[in-house]
Amino acid sequence: MPIRVQNDLPVKEILEHENIFVMDEHRAIHQDIRPIKIGLLNLMPLKEDTELQILRSLSNTPLQVDVVFVTVASHESKNTSANHLNRFYETFDAVRDQKFDGFIITGAPIEQMDFETVDYWTELTQIMDWTKTHVTSTIHLCWGAQAALYYHYGIDKVPLDSKRFGIFPHKVMNRKIPLVRGFDDVFPAPHSRHTDVPVEKIRADERLMILAESEEAGAFLVMAQNGRQIFVMGHPEYDRMTLDQEYKRDKSKGLPITLPKNYYPNDDCTQKPLLSWRAHANILYANWLNYYVYQVTPYDMVGTPF
C-alpha cells in the first residue's frame, strides 16, 4: 500500500529507509485512482512516534492511502513542537465538514483519569459523534477504545490492581468475521494500561461483538455496527522497542513497574525484545482497510449519507 504523506513529513525518510512504499503528493495526484482517505486523531504525547507506528501498520495492502493527521484544539501538547503540529496537523474544526473513508482515534496515557476530567473530553465527544455521520469505519485504540465504549455504550473502565503490561496471547472468537480473516487461532499482541473494560460487561451488550480475547489480558478486539465501529484494547501498532522504552522510563522515575510479560528473552531486559506481533497487526489493519473501508465506501463521498 502506498502511504501518501506531505513531502517534508519527518518520518517519511524513516519509512522509505524501511522499504515502505511512501508516495509524495506530486506522484499521488498523477495517479488515476481515488485514494482511501484516513484521518488519524493522534492523542499520544510523542506524536511523531505514533505517526511512524500507524503509517507502518497501514502500509500492507495495494491501496493508496491519504492520511490526514488531526489534533484536538482544547489541549496544548507538551511533547510535540508547535511547529510540527502547525505544519502537519489539522484541527477538528478544519475537517469537520469533510467525509473520511476511515478514521483512527489513538490511545493516550491518561486512563487513570475519569473521562470527564480530561481537558479535551468535550471536544473528543464531538469528534466521536461526528464519526457516526462522516466516517465509513472508525478504529479506536486502547484508551481511545475505552473512551468510545464509555461514550457510545455506557460501559465504564475499571482500575487494575497492577499495570497490564507485556505481550499476551489472544484467542479468536469468531473466525467468520472478515476483520480476523487470516488470523491464527491464538495470536500475540501488546498491552500497556492501568484500566480495563470487563469482558462480561461488553458481552452483556448485544450491540457489541467480541472478536478476540485473552484469559489474562481480557478483551482485545470488539466490533459494533457491522464494522463501522472497531475497538482495539491493546497496541498492535507498537514497535519492537516501545514497551522497552516505557519500562525503562517508568523505572527511571521510580514508578511501580514490572517487566513486560513475554517480551524480553529469558526476562532479561538487557536483551533485544522479540518482535512477535507484527504479522497479525498488519493483517488487522489490512483487513480493516479492505473489508470495512475500501469494499464499502463509495467512489464519490460528496453528499453520501452514512
Side-chain angles (χ1 to χ4, degrees):
M1 171 190 305
I3 297 294
R4 177 180 169 185
V5 298
Q6 291 171 257
N7 298 347
D8 53 351
L9 183 71
V11 300
K12 179 174 179 284
E13 184 177 347
I14 300 174
L15 293 166
E16 289 175 332
H17 181 71
E18 295 177 2
N19 203 31
I20 289 175
F21 188 3
V22 181
M23 181 180 296
D24 62 31
E25 296 163 304
H26 176 77
R27 180 174 178 183
I29 63 175
H30 288 86
Q31 281 201 327
D32 189 18
I33 183 174
R34 184 177 81 78
I36 298 298
K37 185 177 179 182
I38 302 297
L40 172 61
L41 178 63
N42 191 350
L43 303 175
M44 293 294 279
L46 301 176
K47 299 195 185 301
E48 291 185 64
D49 288 352
T50 303
E51 293 164 15
L52 185 58
Q53 293 167 3
I54 295 295
L55 291 177
R56 282 193 186 114
S57 298
L58 296 176
S59 66
N60 285 279
T61 78
L63 305 173
Q64 180 180 313
V65 177
D66 187 353
V67 180
V68 178
F69 297 122
V70 183
T71 187
V72 288
S74 47
H75 176 78
E76 182 178 352
S77 178
K78 299 176 182 178
N79 298 281
T80 303
S81 71
N83 178 63
H84 185 85
L85 291 172
N86 292 335
R87 190 167 189 172
F88 300 110
Y89 279 74
E90 303 282 356
T91 63
F92 173 55
D93 282 342
V95 303
R96 67 164 65 240
D97 293 329
Q98 300 178 30
K99 296 288 183 72
F100 285 79
D101 300 296
F103 204 78
I104 300 170
I105 298 177
T106 74
I110 52 174
E111 70 266 24
Q112 292 176 292
M113 298 174 62
D114 291 336
F115 291 117
E116 288 83 358
T117 63
V118 175
D119 58 4
Y120 53 81
W121 178 248
T122 298
E123 186 177 4
L124 180 59
T125 62
Q126 294 172 355
I127 294 171
M128 290 191 291
D129 277 335
W130 168 87
T131 62
K132 295 188 290 186
T133 56
H134 289 71
V135 179
T136 302
S137 179
T138 303
I139 280 189
H140 312 77
L141 299 174
C142 202
W143 180 83
Q146 295 184 352
L149 286 170
Y150 174 70
Y151 182 69
H152 293 301
Y153 298 96
I155 305 175
D156 205 351
K157 55 184 168 59
V158 297
L160 294 167
D161 293 334
S162 60
K163 186 175 183 179
R164 186 158 293 160
F165 191 44
I167 311 300
F168 297 89
H170 304 79
K171 183 178 180 180
V172 174
M173 307 304 294
N174 192 332
R175 301 198 62 83
K176 294 182 179 180
I177 302 301
L179 191 62
V180 292
R181 187 168 291 168
F183 275 49
D184 293 330
D185 290 339
V186 177
F187 66 94
H191 289 263
S192 178
R193 50 192 168 88
H194 294 273
T195 55
D196 186 38
V197 179
V199 170
E200 59 272 14
K201 291 186 177 181
I202 299 173
R203 192 172 285 121
D205 193 319
E206 295 181 353
R207 297 170 294 178
L208 300 170
M209 177 186 297
I210 298 177
L211 300 181
E213 65 179 70
S214 165
E215 291 185 5
E216 188 174 2
F220 174 72
L221 189 58
V222 180
M223 189 176 77
Q225 297 186 21
N226 294 319
R228 291 207 55 208
Q229 293 177 332
I230 294 167
F231 311 91
V232 184
M233 301 302 181
H235 283 285
E237 77 284 355
Y238 267 10
D239 294 337
R240 180 195 302 271
M241 303 305 296
T242 307
L243 293 180
D244 174 76
Q245 293 164 359
E246 291 184 4
Y247 170 68
K248 291 174 179 175
R249 176 201 64 198
D250 288 358
K251 191 174 181 180
S252 69
K253 292 180 178 180
L255 299 174
I257 188 67
T258 59
L259 281 171
K261 291 187 176 182
N262 309 312
Y263 182 58
Y264 296 113
N266 302 316
D267 284 338
D268 181 355
C269 66
T270 66
Q271 295 192 41
K272 184 178 182 179
L274 296 175
L275 182 59
S276 61
W277 61 93
R278 175 65 57 80
H280 281 86
N282 289 342
I283 294 172
L284 172 62
Y285 282 98
N287 285 348
W288 173 61
L289 286 173
N290 184 24
Y291 298 116
Y292 298 92
V293 179
Y294 177 72
Q295 299 290 347
V296 297
T297 194
Y299 184 87
D300 185 359
M301 297 184 70
V302 177
T304 300
F306 285 115

PDB file of all heavy atoms in Angstrom, residues 139-146 179 191 219-222 230-237 284-285:
ATOM      1  N   ILE A 139     -11.613   3.068  13.838  1.00  0.00           N
ATOM      2  CA  ILE A 139     -10.874   2.220  14.787  1.00  0.00           C
ATOM      3  C   ILE A 139     -10.490   3.072  15.992  1.00  0.00           C
ATOM      4  O   ILE A 139      -9.971   4.181  15.847  1.00  0.00           O
ATOM      5  CB  ILE A 139      -9.606   1.627  14.145  1.00  0.00           C
ATOM      6  CG1 ILE A 139      -9.960   0.406  13.292  1.00  0.00           C
ATOM      7  CG2 ILE A 139      -8.608   1.202  15.204  1.00  0.00           C
ATOM      8  CD1 ILE A 139      -8.752  -0.358  12.794  1.00  0.00           C
ATOM      9  N   HIS A 140     -10.764   2.525  17.185  1.00  0.00           N
ATOM     10  CA  HIS A 140     -10.394   3.184  18.440  1.00  0.00           C
ATOM     11  C   HIS A 140      -9.347   2.319  19.127  1.00  0.00           C
ATOM     12  O   HIS A 140      -9.549   1.108  19.289  1.00  0.00           O
ATOM     13  CB  HIS A 140     -11.613   3.334  19.353  1.00  0.00           C
ATOM     14  CG  HIS A 140     -12.830   3.903  18.677  1.00  0.00           C
ATOM     15  ND1 HIS A 140     -13.636   3.143  17.844  1.00  0.00           N
ATOM     16  CD2 HIS A 140     -13.383   5.141  18.717  1.00  0.00           C
ATOM     17  CE1 HIS A 140     -14.632   3.899  17.400  1.00  0.00           C
ATOM     18  NE2 HIS A 140     -14.495   5.102  17.910  1.00  0.00           N
ATOM     19  N   LEU A 141      -8.236   2.926  19.557  1.00  0.00           N
ATOM     20  CA  LEU A 141      -7.115   2.179  20.125  1.00  0.00           C
ATOM     21  C   LEU A 141      -6.967   2.436  21.622  1.00  0.00           C
ATOM     22  O   LEU A 141      -6.981   3.590  22.067  1.00  0.00           O
ATOM     23  CB  LEU A 141      -5.806   2.569  19.427  1.00  0.00           C
ATOM     24  CG  LEU A 141      -5.709   2.303  17.920  1.00  0.00           C
ATOM     25  CD1 LEU A 141      -4.410   2.875  17.370  1.00  0.00           C
ATOM     26  CD2 LEU A 141      -5.805   0.815  17.624  1.00  0.00           C
ATOM     27  N   CYS A 142      -6.841   1.373  22.399  1.00  0.00           N
ATOM     28  CA  CYS A 142      -6.522   1.405  23.820  1.00  0.00           C
ATOM     29  C   CYS A 142      -7.404   2.394  24.585  1.00  0.00           C
ATOM     30  O   CYS A 142      -8.608   2.196  24.675  1.00  0.00           O
ATOM     31  CB  CYS A 142      -5.034   1.675  24.026  1.00  0.00           C
ATOM     32  SG  CYS A 142      -4.453   1.105  25.655  1.00  0.00           S
ATOM     33  N   TRP A 143      -6.841   3.490  25.137  1.00  0.00           N
ATOM     34  CA  TRP A 143      -7.695   4.433  25.854  1.00  0.00           C
ATOM     35  C   TRP A 143      -8.773   4.994  24.932  1.00  0.00           C
ATOM     36  O   TRP A 143      -9.903   5.237  25.387  1.00  0.00           O
ATOM     37  CB  TRP A 143      -6.873   5.594  26.437  1.00  0.00           C
ATOM     38  CG  TRP A 143      -7.731   6.579  27.187  1.00  0.00           C
ATOM     39  CD1 TRP A 143      -8.150   6.482  28.485  1.00  0.00           C
ATOM     40  CD2 TRP A 143      -8.310   7.788  26.672  1.00  0.00           C
ATOM     41  NE1 TRP A 143      -8.950   7.565  28.809  1.00  0.00           N
ATOM     42  CE2 TRP A 143      -9.057   8.377  27.715  1.00  0.00           C
ATOM     43  CE3 TRP A 143      -8.268   8.424  25.435  1.00  0.00           C
ATOM     44  CZ2 TRP A 143      -9.752   9.576  27.561  1.00  0.00           C
ATOM     45  CZ3 TRP A 143      -8.957   9.622  25.275  1.00  0.00           C
ATOM     46  CH2 TRP A 143      -9.689  10.193  26.326  1.00  0.00           C
ATOM     47  N   GLY A 144      -8.482   5.176  23.658  1.00  0.00           N
ATOM     48  CA  GLY A 144      -9.498   5.632  22.713  1.00  0.00           C
ATOM     49  C   GLY A 144     -10.649   4.648  22.628  1.00  0.00           C
ATOM     50  O   GLY A 144     -11.812   5.047  22.484  1.00  0.00           O
ATOM     51  N   ALA A 145     -10.348   3.339  22.725  1.00  0.00           N
ATOM     52  CA  ALA A 145     -11.400   2.319  22.717  1.00  0.00           C
ATOM     53  C   ALA A 145     -12.207   2.383  24.010  1.00  0.00           C
ATOM     54  O   ALA A 145     -13.445   2.271  23.997  1.00  0.00           O
ATOM     55  CB  ALA A 145     -10.780   0.935  22.545  1.00  0.00           C
ATOM     56  N   GLN A 146     -11.533   2.559  25.137  1.00  0.00           N
ATOM     57  CA  GLN A 146     -12.244   2.667  26.405  1.00  0.00           C
ATOM     58  C   GLN A 146     -13.160   3.896  26.418  1.00  0.00           C
ATOM     59  O   GLN A 146     -14.309   3.831  26.873  1.00  0.00           O
ATOM     60  CB  GLN A 146     -11.241   2.742  27.561  1.00  0.00           C
ATOM     61  CG  GLN A 146     -10.417   1.477  27.738  1.00  0.00           C
ATOM     62  CD  GLN A 146      -9.510   1.539  28.954  1.00  0.00           C
ATOM     63  OE1 GLN A 146      -9.379   2.584  29.599  1.00  0.00           O
ATOM     64  NE2 GLN A 146      -8.876   0.426  29.276  1.00  0.00           N
ATOM     65  N   LEU A 179     -12.818  -9.199   9.731  1.00  0.00           N
ATOM     66  CA  LEU A 179     -11.763  -8.450  10.406  1.00  0.00           C
ATOM     67  C   LEU A 179     -10.658  -9.364  10.919  1.00  0.00           C
ATOM     68  O   LEU A 179      -9.490  -8.940  11.011  1.00  0.00           O
ATOM     69  CB  LEU A 179     -12.351  -7.642  11.576  1.00  0.00           C
ATOM     70  CG  LEU A 179     -11.421  -6.615  12.219  1.00  0.00           C
ATOM     71  CD1 LEU A 179     -11.002  -5.543  11.222  1.00  0.00           C
ATOM     72  CD2 LEU A 179     -12.087  -5.970  13.433  1.00  0.00           C
ATOM     73  N   HIS A 191      -0.060  -5.038  25.283  1.00  0.00           N
ATOM     74  CA  HIS A 191      -0.937  -4.231  26.138  1.00  0.00           C
ATOM     75  C   HIS A 191      -0.068  -3.368  27.033  1.00  0.00           C
ATOM     76  O   HIS A 191       1.020  -3.789  27.466  1.00  0.00           O
ATOM     77  CB  HIS A 191      -1.832  -5.106  27.010  1.00  0.00           C
ATOM     78  CG  HIS A 191      -2.908  -5.827  26.269  1.00  0.00           C
ATOM     79  ND1 HIS A 191      -4.204  -5.359  26.183  1.00  0.00           N
ATOM     80  CD2 HIS A 191      -2.892  -6.987  25.568  1.00  0.00           C
ATOM     81  CE1 HIS A 191      -4.933  -6.213  25.474  1.00  0.00           C
ATOM     82  NE2 HIS A 191      -4.160  -7.204  25.088  1.00  0.00           N
ATOM     83  N   ALA A 219     -10.572  -8.569  26.989  1.00  0.00           N
ATOM     84  CA  ALA A 219     -10.991  -8.326  25.606  1.00  0.00           C
ATOM     85  C   ALA A 219      -9.895  -7.584  24.848  1.00  0.00           C
ATOM     86  O   ALA A 219      -9.243  -6.692  25.397  1.00  0.00           O
ATOM     87  CB  ALA A 219     -12.281  -7.521  25.574  1.00  0.00           C
ATOM     88  N   PHE A 220      -9.710  -7.968  23.602  1.00  0.00           N
ATOM     89  CA  PHE A 220      -8.729  -7.286  22.761  1.00  0.00           C
ATOM     90  C   PHE A 220      -9.375  -6.614  21.561  1.00  0.00           C
ATOM     91  O   PHE A 220      -9.075  -5.463  21.247  1.00  0.00           O
ATOM     92  CB  PHE A 220      -7.665  -8.265  22.268  1.00  0.00           C
ATOM     93  CG  PHE A 220      -6.702  -7.666  21.280  1.00  0.00           C
ATOM     94  CD1 PHE A 220      -5.747  -6.752  21.703  1.00  0.00           C
ATOM     95  CD2 PHE A 220      -6.749  -7.986  19.928  1.00  0.00           C
ATOM     96  CE1 PHE A 220      -4.859  -6.179  20.797  1.00  0.00           C
ATOM     97  CE2 PHE A 220      -5.869  -7.428  19.021  1.00  0.00           C
ATOM     98  CZ  PHE A 220      -4.919  -6.519  19.456  1.00  0.00           C
ATOM     99  N   LEU A 221     -10.294  -7.302  20.895  1.00  0.00           N
ATOM    100  CA  LEU A 221     -10.875  -6.788  19.656  1.00  0.00           C
ATOM    101  C   LEU A 221     -12.394  -6.893  19.741  1.00  0.00           C
ATOM    102  O   LEU A 221     -12.937  -7.982  19.927  1.00  0.00           O
ATOM    103  CB  LEU A 221     -10.333  -7.593  18.473  1.00  0.00           C
ATOM    104  CG  LEU A 221     -10.647  -7.108  17.059  1.00  0.00           C
ATOM    105  CD1 LEU A 221     -10.154  -5.685  16.847  1.00  0.00           C
ATOM    106  CD2 LEU A 221     -10.010  -8.043  16.037  1.00  0.00           C
ATOM    107  N   VAL A 222     -13.062  -5.746  19.609  1.00  0.00           N
ATOM    108  CA  VAL A 222     -14.520  -5.660  19.721  1.00  0.00           C
ATOM    109  C   VAL A 222     -15.047  -4.878  18.526  1.00  0.00           C
ATOM    110  O   VAL A 222     -14.399  -3.931  18.061  1.00  0.00           O
ATOM    111  CB  VAL A 222     -14.926  -4.963  21.048  1.00  0.00           C
ATOM    112  CG1 VAL A 222     -16.435  -4.874  21.178  1.00  0.00           C
ATOM    113  CG2 VAL A 222     -14.318  -5.690  22.248  1.00  0.00           C
ATOM    114  N   ILE A 230     -14.871  -0.079  15.559  1.00  0.00           N
ATOM    115  CA  ILE A 230     -13.976  -1.153  15.960  1.00  0.00           C
ATOM    116  C   ILE A 230     -13.158  -0.660  17.152  1.00  0.00           C
ATOM    117  O   ILE A 230     -12.668   0.476  17.162  1.00  0.00           O
ATOM    118  CB  ILE A 230     -13.064  -1.572  14.793  1.00  0.00           C
ATOM    119  CG1 ILE A 230     -13.916  -2.198  13.672  1.00  0.00           C
ATOM    120  CG2 ILE A 230     -11.986  -2.543  15.254  1.00  0.00           C
ATOM    121  CD1 ILE A 230     -13.190  -2.367  12.363  1.00  0.00           C
ATOM    122  N   PHE A 231     -13.046  -1.523  18.158  1.00  0.00           N
ATOM    123  CA  PHE A 231     -12.367  -1.159  19.402  1.00  0.00           C
ATOM    124  C   PHE A 231     -11.226  -2.149  19.645  1.00  0.00           C
ATOM    125  O   PHE A 231     -11.452  -3.351  19.742  1.00  0.00           O
ATOM    126  CB  PHE A 231     -13.356  -1.196  20.570  1.00  0.00           C
ATOM    127  CG  PHE A 231     -14.643  -0.466  20.290  1.00  0.00           C
ATOM    128  CD1 PHE A 231     -15.740  -1.140  19.748  1.00  0.00           C
ATOM    129  CD2 PHE A 231     -14.768   0.897  20.537  1.00  0.00           C
ATOM    130  CE1 PHE A 231     -16.920  -0.481  19.474  1.00  0.00           C
ATOM    131  CE2 PHE A 231     -15.947   1.571  20.260  1.00  0.00           C
ATOM    132  CZ  PHE A 231     -17.029   0.881  19.726  1.00  0.00           C
ATOM    133  N   VAL A 232     -10.012  -1.618  19.735  1.00  0.00           N
ATOM    134  CA  VAL A 232      -8.820  -2.436  19.950  1.00  0.00           C
ATOM    135  C   VAL A 232      -8.246  -2.045  21.306  1.00  0.00           C
ATOM    136  O   VAL A 232      -7.796  -0.915  21.487  1.00  0.00           O
ATOM    137  CB  VAL A 232      -7.776  -2.216  18.841  1.00  0.00           C
ATOM    138  CG1 VAL A 232      -6.589  -3.150  19.042  1.00  0.00           C
ATOM    139  CG2 VAL A 232      -8.397  -2.433  17.466  1.00  0.00           C
ATOM    140  N   MET A 233      -8.276  -2.987  22.262  1.00  0.00           N
ATOM    141  CA  MET A 233      -7.908  -2.651  23.635  1.00  0.00           C
ATOM    142  C   MET A 233      -6.402  -2.555  23.865  1.00  0.00           C
ATOM    143  O   MET A 233      -5.967  -2.002  24.865  1.00  0.00           O
ATOM    144  CB  MET A 233      -8.502  -3.695  24.591  1.00  0.00           C
ATOM    145  CG  MET A 233     -10.002  -3.796  24.505  1.00  0.00           C
ATOM    146  SD  MET A 233     -10.800  -2.217  24.853  1.00  0.00           S
ATOM    147  CE  MET A 233     -12.507  -2.701  24.712  1.00  0.00           C
ATOM    148  N   GLY A 234      -5.617  -3.116  22.960  1.00  0.00           N
ATOM    149  CA  GLY A 234      -4.170  -3.080  23.123  1.00  0.00           C
ATOM    150  C   GLY A 234      -3.516  -2.132  22.136  1.00  0.00           C
ATOM    151  O   GLY A 234      -4.121  -1.175  21.652  1.00  0.00           O
ATOM    152  N   HIS A 235      -2.263  -2.424  21.833  1.00  0.00           N
ATOM    153  CA  HIS A 235      -1.480  -1.566  20.940  1.00  0.00           C
ATOM    154  C   HIS A 235      -0.804  -2.410  19.849  1.00  0.00           C
ATOM    155  O   HIS A 235       0.426  -2.563  19.854  1.00  0.00           O
ATOM    156  CB  HIS A 235      -0.411  -0.812  21.731  1.00  0.00           C
ATOM    157  CG  HIS A 235      -0.934   0.340  22.517  1.00  0.00           C
ATOM    158  ND1 HIS A 235      -1.303   1.535  21.943  1.00  0.00           N
ATOM    159  CD2 HIS A 235      -1.162   0.474  23.847  1.00  0.00           C
ATOM    160  CE1 HIS A 235      -1.727   2.370  22.886  1.00  0.00           C
ATOM    161  NE2 HIS A 235      -1.652   1.748  24.044  1.00  0.00           N
ATOM    162  N   PRO A 236      -1.554  -2.947  18.896  1.00  0.00           N
ATOM    163  CA  PRO A 236      -0.915  -3.753  17.845  1.00  0.00           C
ATOM    164  C   PRO A 236       0.078  -2.962  17.008  1.00  0.00           C
ATOM    165  O   PRO A 236       0.960  -3.544  16.374  1.00  0.00           O
ATOM    166  CB  PRO A 236      -2.104  -4.222  17.001  1.00  0.00           C
ATOM    167  CG  PRO A 236      -3.185  -3.233  17.267  1.00  0.00           C
ATOM    168  CD  PRO A 236      -2.998  -2.827  18.695  1.00  0.00           C
ATOM    169  N   GLU A 237      -0.043  -1.638  17.016  1.00  0.00           N
ATOM    170  CA  GLU A 237       0.855  -0.813  16.195  1.00  0.00           C
ATOM    171  C   GLU A 237       2.220  -0.599  16.842  1.00  0.00           C
ATOM    172  O   GLU A 237       3.133  -0.056  16.195  1.00  0.00           O
ATOM    173  CB  GLU A 237       0.201   0.549  15.939  1.00  0.00           C
ATOM    174  CG  GLU A 237       0.243   1.543  17.081  1.00  0.00           C
ATOM    175  CD  GLU A 237      -0.743   1.263  18.206  1.00  0.00           C
ATOM    176  OE1 GLU A 237      -1.562   0.323  18.062  1.00  0.00           O
ATOM    177  OE2 GLU A 237      -0.718   1.973  19.222  1.00  0.00           O
ATOM    178  N   LEU A 284      -4.560  -7.181  10.703  1.00  0.00           N
ATOM    179  CA  LEU A 284      -5.690  -6.446  11.273  1.00  0.00           C
ATOM    180  C   LEU A 284      -5.962  -5.166  10.493  1.00  0.00           C
ATOM    181  O   LEU A 284      -7.103  -4.899  10.076  1.00  0.00           O
ATOM    182  CB  LEU A 284      -5.408  -6.121  12.741  1.00  0.00           C
ATOM    183  CG  LEU A 284      -6.422  -5.189  13.435  1.00  0.00           C
ATOM    184  CD1 LEU A 284      -7.802  -5.821  13.460  1.00  0.00           C
ATOM    185  CD2 LEU A 284      -5.950  -4.858  14.855  1.00  0.00           C
ATOM    186  N   TYR A 285      -4.939  -4.367  10.263  1.00  0.00           N
ATOM    187  CA  TYR A 285      -5.140  -3.102   9.561  1.00  0.00           C
ATOM    188  C   TYR A 285      -5.471  -3.325   8.087  1.00  0.00           C
ATOM    189  O   TYR A 285      -6.283  -2.597   7.502  1.00  0.00           O
ATOM    190  CB  TYR A 285      -3.914  -2.208   9.716  1.00  0.00           C
ATOM    191  CG  TYR A 285      -3.856  -1.525  11.066  1.00  0.00           C
ATOM    192  CD1 TYR A 285      -3.071  -2.040  12.099  1.00  0.00           C
ATOM    193  CD2 TYR A 285      -4.605  -0.390  11.325  1.00  0.00           C
ATOM    194  CE1 TYR A 285      -3.023  -1.424  13.338  1.00  0.00           C
ATOM    195  CE2 TYR A 285      -4.572   0.235  12.560  1.00  0.00           C
ATOM    196  CZ  TYR A 285      -3.775  -0.298  13.561  1.00  0.00           C
ATOM    197  OH  TYR A 285      -3.747   0.307  14.795  1.00  0.00           O
TER     198      TYR A 285
END
